[in-house]
Amino acid sequence: MGYLLILLRSVIGISGNVMRKNYVRSAAGLRSSLDIYMLVTHLFASVFLFALAKGSVALDLPTFLFAAVYAVVCGISAFTGAQAHKTVNFLYVSIFSGAGGLLIPFAFELCTGVQFGLGKLLAVLLCLTMLLPVSAFAVD
């Protein structure tokens, strides 16, 4: 069941990237298209999460601080994602964000003292070696 959820998460993430790329492409002439995109998507996400909680959202200081930090992180992610889709080929965005999705958690776990077996280390090294030839062609 866990692997099915991981697959579903990947499909949803890729779908989000495809939709973001199509929006950026179709709204290329609009000056404030990114602002509109961020406002609508984050407002919809807030309403959706409020509905999932059935309106029972406690607003104490730790919750507010976490929500504020998370909102800033999500805003930065949406902004940089849209900017990347404006300037970089969709394939490169997918490859490098996927590699970051592997390498950044690996580095984080390494810093926290988690031990890795040979298989996981080889998987990370394989990912790095696959990125080197792609990065040589990334500059157009």
Side-chain angles (χ1 to χ4, degrees):
M1 180 65 175
Y3 291 113
L4 184 61
L5 290 174
I6 292 171
L7 178 64
L8 181 63
R9 180 181 181 271
S10 295
V11 169
I12 290 170
I14 296 292
S15 299
N17 280 340
V18 169
M19 287 186 273
R20 184 179 300 132
K21 180 65 175 181
N22 285 334
Y23 176 78
V24 166
R25 188 179 301 148
S26 65
L30 298 174
R31 184 173 166 207
S32 60
S33 64
L34 182 58
D35 299 329
I36 294 168
Y37 171 80
M38 289 179 60
L39 179 69
V40 171
T41 57
H42 289 91
L43 182 63
F44 179 76
S46 299
V47 170
F48 180 71
L49 292 173
F50 186 77
L52 282 178
K54 299 178 184 168
S56 177
V57 179
L59 188 57
D60 54 2
L61 185 61
T63 303
F64 177 76
L65 291 175
F66 177 78
V69 169
Y70 188 69
V72 169
V73 169
C74 287
I76 292 169
S77 175
F79 178 77
T80 56
Q83 293 298 335
H85 284 296
K86 280 183 183 178
T87 57
V88 180
N89 183 319
F90 184 67
L91 179 63
Y92 292 135
V93 171
S94 298
I95 289 172
F96 287 105
S97 64
L102 171 71
L103 297 176
I104 292 170
F106 175 74
F108 176 78
E109 297 264 330
L110 208 57
C111 292
T112 59
V114 173
Q115 300 296 320
F116 291 97
L118 182 62
K120 289 183 182 178
L121 290 173
L122 288 175
V124 171
L125 287 175
L126 179 63
C127 181
L128 284 173
T129 58
M130 288 176 20
L131 285 177
L132 292 175
V134 172
S135 64
F137 300 107
V139 180
D140 293 319

